[in-house]
Short mmCIF file of all heavy atoms in Angstrom, two decimals:
data_model
loop_
_atom_site.label_atom_id
_atom_site.label_comp_id
_atom_site.label_asym_id
_atom_site.label_seq_id
_atom_site.Cartn_x
_atom_site.Cartn_y
_atom_site.Cartn_z
N VAL A 294 0.91 -1.24 0.06
CA VAL A 294 0.01 -0.03 -0.04
C VAL A 294 0.86 1.24 -0.06
O VAL A 294 1.92 1.27 0.66
CB VAL A 294 -0.94 -0.10 1.22
CG1 VAL A 294 -0.13 0.05 2.51
CG2 VAL A 294 -1.92 1.06 1.10
N SER A 295 0.47 2.30 -0.80
CA SER A 295 1.39 3.44 -0.94
C SER A 295 0.96 4.42 0.26
O SER A 295 -0.17 4.78 0.68
CB SER A 295 1.02 4.14 -2.24
OG SER A 295 1.81 5.45 -2.31
N SER A 296 2.09 4.95 0.82
CA SER A 296 1.98 6.02 1.88
C SER A 296 1.93 7.48 1.20
O SER A 296 1.78 8.30 2.04
CB SER A 296 3.04 5.90 2.84
OG SER A 296 4.41 6.07 2.14
N ALA A 297 2.06 7.55 -0.14
CA ALA A 297 2.02 8.90 -0.71
C ALA A 297 0.69 9.55 -0.51
O ALA A 297 -0.44 8.84 -0.70
CB ALA A 297 2.31 8.70 -2.14
N SER A 298 0.69 10.76 0.02
CA SER A 298 -0.75 11.47 0.23
C SER A 298 -1.44 10.93 1.40
O SER A 298 -2.66 11.10 1.24
CB SER A 298 -1.45 11.78 -1.05
OG SER A 298 -0.66 12.40 -2.12
N ARG A 299 -0.88 10.07 2.25
CA ARG A 299 -1.63 9.52 3.21
C ARG A 299 -2.37 10.48 4.11
O ARG A 299 -1.80 11.55 4.44
CB ARG A 299 -0.73 8.57 4.01
CG ARG A 299 -1.50 7.61 4.98
CD ARG A 299 -0.46 6.78 5.88
NE ARG A 299 -1.27 5.85 6.74
CZ ARG A 299 -0.69 5.03 7.48
NH1 ARG A 299 0.59 5.01 7.63
NH2 ARG A 299 -1.42 4.20 8.30
N GLY A 300 -3.52 10.22 4.46
CA GLY A 300 -4.33 11.05 5.35
C GLY A 300 -5.23 11.97 4.56
O GLY A 300 -5.83 12.98 5.11
N THR A 301 -5.31 11.83 3.19
CA THR A 301 -6.14 12.74 2.37
C THR A 301 -7.58 12.80 2.88
O THR A 301 -8.10 11.71 3.10
CB THR A 301 -6.04 12.32 1.01
OG1 THR A 301 -4.78 12.50 0.35
CG2 THR A 301 -6.98 13.16 0.01
N LEU A 302 -8.15 13.86 3.02
CA LEU A 302 -9.58 14.08 3.36
C LEU A 302 -10.52 14.23 2.12
O LEU A 302 -10.12 14.97 1.20
CB LEU A 302 -9.78 15.26 4.31
CG LEU A 302 -9.39 15.11 5.70
CD1 LEU A 302 -9.65 16.46 6.44
CD2 LEU A 302 -10.13 13.94 6.47
N ARG A 303 -11.61 13.64 2.11
CA ARG A 303 -12.53 13.84 1.11
C ARG A 303 -13.93 13.81 1.69
O ARG A 303 -14.18 12.90 2.58
CB ARG A 303 -12.37 12.86 -0.09
CG ARG A 303 -11.14 12.99 -0.87
CD ARG A 303 -11.10 12.32 -2.15
NE ARG A 303 -9.81 12.36 -2.83
CZ ARG A 303 -9.57 13.28 -3.71
NH1 ARG A 303 -10.34 14.20 -3.95
NH2 ARG A 303 -8.33 13.33 -4.26
N PRO A 304 -14.98 14.54 1.15
CA PRO A 304 -16.20 14.52 1.78
C PRO A 304 -17.14 13.36 1.15
O PRO A 304 -17.88 13.53 0.28
CB PRO A 304 -16.77 15.81 1.29
CG PRO A 304 -16.11 16.11 0.00
CD PRO A 304 -14.68 15.53 0.04
N CYS A 305 -17.03 12.22 1.77
CA CYS A 305 -17.75 11.03 1.26
C CYS A 305 -18.24 10.11 2.44
O CYS A 305 -19.04 9.32 2.20
CB CYS A 305 -17.01 10.35 0.26
SG CYS A 305 -15.40 9.68 0.83
N TRP A 306 -17.52 10.30 3.55
CA TRP A 306 -17.69 9.16 4.48
C TRP A 306 -19.04 9.12 5.19
O TRP A 306 -19.62 7.94 5.42
CB TRP A 306 -16.59 9.25 5.53
CG TRP A 306 -15.26 9.23 4.94
CD1 TRP A 306 -14.40 10.19 4.65
CD2 TRP A 306 -14.62 8.01 4.36
NE1 TRP A 306 -13.25 9.81 4.02
CE2 TRP A 306 -13.44 8.53 3.77
CE3 TRP A 306 -15.02 6.70 4.33
CZ2 TRP A 306 -12.49 7.57 3.23
CZ3 TRP A 306 -14.06 5.78 3.72
CH2 TRP A 306 -12.88 6.24 3.17
N ASP A 307 -19.77 10.12 5.35
CA ASP A 307 -21.07 10.12 5.85
C ASP A 307 -22.07 9.47 4.91
O ASP A 307 -22.99 8.67 5.37
CB ASP A 307 -21.66 11.52 6.14
CG ASP A 307 -21.68 11.79 7.65
OD1 ASP A 307 -22.12 10.97 8.38
OD2 ASP A 307 -21.24 13.08 8.07
N LEU A 308 -21.81 9.69 3.69
CA LEU A 308 -22.66 9.10 2.58
C LEU A 308 -22.65 7.53 2.67
O LEU A 308 -23.52 6.86 2.65
CB LEU A 308 -22.23 9.52 1.28
CG LEU A 308 -22.98 9.02 0.05
CD1 LEU A 308 -24.46 9.55 0.08
CD2 LEU A 308 -22.25 9.57 -1.29
N ILE A 309 -21.36 7.04 2.86
CA ILE A 309 -21.13 5.53 2.94
C ILE A 309 -21.85 4.98 4.27
O ILE A 309 -22.52 4.00 4.20
CB ILE A 309 -19.68 5.24 2.83
CG1 ILE A 309 -19.15 5.79 1.50
CG2 ILE A 309 -19.43 3.70 2.96
CD1 ILE A 309 -17.63 6.05 1.51
N TYR A 310 -21.38 5.54 5.31
CA TYR A 310 -21.82 5.05 6.61
C TYR A 310 -23.39 5.12 6.71
O TYR A 310 -24.15 4.26 7.12
CB TYR A 310 -21.35 5.94 7.80
CG TYR A 310 -21.75 5.50 9.15
CD1 TYR A 310 -21.36 4.32 9.72
CD2 TYR A 310 -22.73 6.23 9.83
CE1 TYR A 310 -21.72 3.85 10.93
CE2 TYR A 310 -23.27 5.79 11.02
CZ TYR A 310 -22.71 4.63 11.67
OH TYR A 310 -23.12 4.18 12.85
N SER A 311 -24.03 6.27 6.26
CA SER A 311 -25.48 6.31 6.31
C SER A 311 -26.18 5.32 5.51
O SER A 311 -27.25 4.75 6.02
CB SER A 311 -25.90 7.71 5.73
OG SER A 311 -25.46 8.76 6.61
N HIS A 312 -25.60 4.93 4.35
CA HIS A 312 -26.27 3.90 3.50
C HIS A 312 -26.12 2.57 4.32
O HIS A 312 -27.18 1.85 4.49
CB HIS A 312 -25.76 3.74 2.19
CG HIS A 312 -26.33 2.51 1.43
ND1 HIS A 312 -27.59 2.51 1.11
CD2 HIS A 312 -25.66 1.35 1.21
CE1 HIS A 312 -27.79 1.30 0.52
NE2 HIS A 312 -26.65 0.56 0.57
N TYR A 313 -24.99 2.13 4.60
CA TYR A 313 -24.85 0.73 5.03
C TYR A 313 -25.33 0.54 6.38
O TYR A 313 -25.92 -0.61 6.73
CB TYR A 313 -23.38 0.34 4.97
CG TYR A 313 -22.84 0.08 3.63
CD1 TYR A 313 -21.87 0.98 2.91
CD2 TYR A 313 -23.22 -1.04 2.91
CE1 TYR A 313 -21.52 0.74 1.69
CE2 TYR A 313 -22.73 -1.30 1.53
CZ TYR A 313 -21.87 -0.50 0.98
OH TYR A 313 -21.49 -0.67 -0.29
N VAL A 314 -25.20 1.47 7.32
CA VAL A 314 -25.61 1.26 8.68
C VAL A 314 -27.16 1.83 8.95
O VAL A 314 -27.88 1.03 9.44
CB VAL A 314 -24.73 1.82 9.61
CG1 VAL A 314 -25.09 1.70 11.14
CG2 VAL A 314 -23.37 1.32 9.56
N LYS A 315 -27.33 3.04 8.45
CA LYS A 315 -28.63 3.58 8.75
C LYS A 315 -29.76 3.09 7.89
O LYS A 315 -30.87 3.02 8.26
CB LYS A 315 -28.59 5.24 8.68
CG LYS A 315 -27.57 5.81 9.72
CD LYS A 315 -28.01 5.57 11.11
CE LYS A 315 -27.18 6.31 12.14
NZ LYS A 315 -27.59 6.00 13.48
N GLU A 316 -29.36 3.03 6.57
CA GLU A 316 -30.43 2.62 5.61
C GLU A 316 -30.55 0.99 5.45
O GLU A 316 -31.57 0.36 5.57
CB GLU A 316 -30.20 3.14 4.21
CG GLU A 316 -30.37 4.63 4.19
CD GLU A 316 -30.09 5.33 2.83
OE1 GLU A 316 -29.29 4.60 2.00
OE2 GLU A 316 -30.64 6.36 2.53
N LYS A 317 -29.39 0.32 5.20
CA LYS A 317 -29.26 -1.15 5.03
C LYS A 317 -29.38 -1.83 6.34
O LYS A 317 -29.77 -3.06 6.30
CB LYS A 317 -27.96 -1.43 4.22
CG LYS A 317 -28.13 -2.78 3.65
CD LYS A 317 -27.06 -2.98 2.48
CE LYS A 317 -27.21 -4.26 1.78
NZ LYS A 317 -26.30 -4.32 0.64
N GLY A 318 -28.98 -1.28 7.50
CA GLY A 318 -29.17 -1.84 8.73
C GLY A 318 -28.02 -2.91 9.01
O GLY A 318 -28.24 -3.69 9.92
N LEU A 319 -26.93 -2.75 8.48
CA LEU A 319 -25.79 -3.53 8.79
C LEU A 319 -25.27 -3.11 10.15
O LEU A 319 -25.41 -2.05 10.61
CB LEU A 319 -24.63 -3.44 7.79
CG LEU A 319 -25.00 -3.86 6.31
CD1 LEU A 319 -23.73 -3.76 5.47
CD2 LEU A 319 -25.45 -5.26 6.31
N PRO A 320 -24.62 -4.16 10.85
CA PRO A 320 -24.06 -3.71 12.10
C PRO A 320 -23.04 -2.68 12.04
O PRO A 320 -22.39 -2.49 11.02
CB PRO A 320 -23.26 -5.03 12.56
CG PRO A 320 -23.91 -6.09 11.77
CD PRO A 320 -24.32 -5.48 10.46
N ALA A 321 -23.03 -1.78 12.98
CA ALA A 321 -22.05 -0.62 12.89
C ALA A 321 -20.64 -1.05 12.85
O ALA A 321 -19.89 -0.34 12.18
CB ALA A 321 -22.26 0.22 14.18
N SER A 322 -20.36 -2.31 13.29
CA SER A 322 -19.00 -2.74 13.16
C SER A 322 -18.56 -2.98 11.78
O SER A 322 -17.39 -2.93 11.36
CB SER A 322 -18.89 -4.06 13.89
OG SER A 322 -19.70 -5.00 13.52
N SER A 323 -19.53 -3.23 10.83
CA SER A 323 -19.21 -3.42 9.39
C SER A 323 -18.63 -2.21 8.75
O SER A 323 -18.04 -2.31 7.65
CB SER A 323 -20.39 -3.93 8.69
OG SER A 323 -21.42 -2.97 8.65
N ALA A 324 -18.87 -0.97 9.29
CA ALA A 324 -18.40 0.27 8.82
C ALA A 324 -17.65 1.04 9.92
O ALA A 324 -17.65 2.23 10.03
CB ALA A 324 -19.58 1.10 8.26
N TYR A 325 -16.85 0.25 10.66
CA TYR A 325 -16.10 0.67 11.85
C TYR A 325 -15.24 2.01 11.40
O TYR A 325 -15.34 2.92 12.06
CB TYR A 325 -15.31 -0.37 12.40
CG TYR A 325 -14.49 0.00 13.72
CD1 TYR A 325 -15.07 0.14 14.85
CD2 TYR A 325 -13.18 0.39 13.54
CE1 TYR A 325 -14.28 0.52 16.04
CE2 TYR A 325 -12.35 0.81 14.54
CZ TYR A 325 -12.97 0.87 15.80
OH TYR A 325 -12.15 1.30 16.90
N TYR A 326 -14.46 1.72 10.51
CA TYR A 326 -13.41 2.76 10.11
C TYR A 326 -14.13 3.92 9.39
O TYR A 326 -13.68 5.13 9.58
CB TYR A 326 -12.23 2.15 9.26
CG TYR A 326 -11.55 1.08 10.02
CD1 TYR A 326 -11.62 -0.20 9.72
CD2 TYR A 326 -10.81 1.28 11.21
CE1 TYR A 326 -10.85 -1.30 10.39
CE2 TYR A 326 -10.05 0.42 11.77
CZ TYR A 326 -10.14 -0.95 11.37
OH TYR A 326 -9.44 -1.95 12.12
N THR A 327 -15.11 3.63 8.51
CA THR A 327 -15.84 4.60 7.86
C THR A 327 -16.57 5.53 8.93
O THR A 327 -16.56 6.73 8.67
CB THR A 327 -16.90 3.98 6.99
OG1 THR A 327 -16.14 3.31 5.93
CG2 THR A 327 -17.82 4.95 6.36
N LYS A 328 -17.04 5.01 9.92
CA LYS A 328 -17.79 5.73 10.96
C LYS A 328 -16.80 6.86 11.58
O LYS A 328 -17.09 7.96 11.84
CB LYS A 328 -18.42 4.99 11.99
CG LYS A 328 -19.23 5.78 12.97
CD LYS A 328 -19.90 4.93 14.01
CE LYS A 328 -20.74 5.78 14.96
NZ LYS A 328 -20.12 6.92 15.56
N ILE A 329 -15.62 6.28 12.01
CA ILE A 329 -14.65 7.17 12.52
C ILE A 329 -14.27 8.37 11.65
O ILE A 329 -14.24 9.51 12.09
CB ILE A 329 -13.37 6.45 13.04
CG1 ILE A 329 -13.65 5.38 14.04
CG2 ILE A 329 -12.33 7.41 13.64
CD1 ILE A 329 -12.51 4.50 14.36
N PHE A 330 -14.12 8.02 10.40
CA PHE A 330 -13.72 9.05 9.41
C PHE A 330 -14.94 10.02 9.37
O PHE A 330 -14.78 11.24 9.17
CB PHE A 330 -13.38 8.53 8.04
CG PHE A 330 -12.30 8.90 7.41
CD1 PHE A 330 -11.32 8.13 6.86
CD2 PHE A 330 -11.85 10.31 7.41
CE1 PHE A 330 -10.12 8.56 6.18
CE2 PHE A 330 -10.65 10.84 6.97
CZ PHE A 330 -9.84 9.84 6.34
N ALA A 331 -16.13 9.59 9.21
CA ALA A 331 -17.33 10.48 9.09
C ALA A 331 -17.39 11.37 10.30
O ALA A 331 -17.74 12.53 10.16
CB ALA A 331 -18.59 9.64 8.96
N ASP A 332 -17.19 10.81 11.53
CA ASP A 332 -17.27 11.58 12.65
C ASP A 332 -16.22 12.81 12.59
O ASP A 332 -16.55 13.89 13.05
CB ASP A 332 -17.08 10.82 13.95
CG ASP A 332 -18.12 9.83 14.28
OD1 ASP A 332 -19.27 10.11 13.84
OD2 ASP A 332 -17.83 8.89 15.04
N GLN A 333 -15.06 12.53 12.09
CA GLN A 333 -14.08 13.42 12.11
C GLN A 333 -14.34 14.45 11.01
O GLN A 333 -13.99 15.70 11.31
CB GLN A 333 -12.67 12.88 11.82
CG GLN A 333 -12.19 11.89 12.92
CD GLN A 333 -10.83 11.31 12.71
OE1 GLN A 333 -10.23 11.48 11.58
NE2 GLN A 333 -10.28 10.66 13.70
N VAL A 334 -14.79 14.10 9.82
CA VAL A 334 -14.98 15.10 8.78
C VAL A 334 -16.12 16.09 9.16
O VAL A 334 -16.12 17.18 8.53
CB VAL A 334 -15.19 14.43 7.41
CG1 VAL A 334 -15.52 15.38 6.30
CG2 VAL A 334 -13.93 13.57 7.08
N ARG A 335 -17.04 15.64 9.94
CA ARG A 335 -18.05 16.58 10.37
C ARG A 335 -17.60 17.77 11.18
O ARG A 335 -18.34 18.71 11.28
CB ARG A 335 -19.12 15.79 11.27
CG ARG A 335 -19.92 14.82 10.50
CD ARG A 335 -21.00 14.11 11.49
NE ARG A 335 -21.36 12.82 10.95
CZ ARG A 335 -21.31 11.69 11.68
NH1 ARG A 335 -20.86 11.60 12.88
NH2 ARG A 335 -21.76 10.63 11.15
N LYS A 336 -16.42 17.73 11.73
CA LYS A 336 -15.86 18.75 12.44
C LYS A 336 -14.65 19.46 11.83
O LYS A 336 -13.93 18.74 11.27
CB LYS A 336 -15.60 18.34 13.84
CG LYS A 336 -16.88 17.94 14.68
CD LYS A 336 -16.53 17.62 16.15
CE LYS A 336 -17.76 17.12 16.87
NZ LYS A 336 -17.36 16.81 18.31
N SER A 337 -14.52 20.68 11.89
CA SER A 337 -13.35 21.46 11.59
C SER A 337 -12.88 22.22 12.80
O SER A 337 -13.60 23.23 13.25
CB SER A 337 -13.68 22.25 10.33
OG SER A 337 -12.47 23.05 9.98
N ASP A 338 -11.63 22.05 13.15
CA ASP A 338 -11.02 22.66 14.32
C ASP A 338 -11.98 22.55 15.49
O ASP A 338 -12.14 23.52 16.31
CB ASP A 338 -10.71 24.20 13.99
CG ASP A 338 -9.62 24.20 13.00
OD1 ASP A 338 -8.70 23.41 12.96
OD2 ASP A 338 -9.66 25.20 12.17
N GLY A 339 -12.68 21.45 15.63
CA GLY A 339 -13.53 21.17 16.81
C GLY A 339 -14.91 21.77 16.65
O GLY A 339 -15.73 21.50 17.49
N VAL A 340 -15.20 22.43 15.51
CA VAL A 340 -16.48 23.00 15.31
C VAL A 340 -17.35 22.21 14.42
O VAL A 340 -16.85 21.81 13.30
CB VAL A 340 -16.41 24.45 14.80
CG1 VAL A 340 -17.65 24.98 14.51
CG2 VAL A 340 -15.64 25.30 15.62
N LEU A 341 -18.54 21.88 14.85
CA LEU A 341 -19.49 21.10 13.92
C LEU A 341 -19.90 21.83 12.69
O LEU A 341 -20.66 22.82 12.75
CB LEU A 341 -20.63 20.55 14.69
CG LEU A 341 -21.59 19.65 13.95
CD1 LEU A 341 -20.93 18.28 13.80
CD2 LEU A 341 -22.79 19.41 14.75
#
């Protein structure tokens, strides 16, 4: 796996988590890392 540009942010993670967990009803663990990313992207410098 390449470490180049590691940590890149993009606005997509809520879309993914919402579908699989909220709409499809999969266990939250199935999108464990996606959820953490979604939580982080919702905030900028601690502000929602």
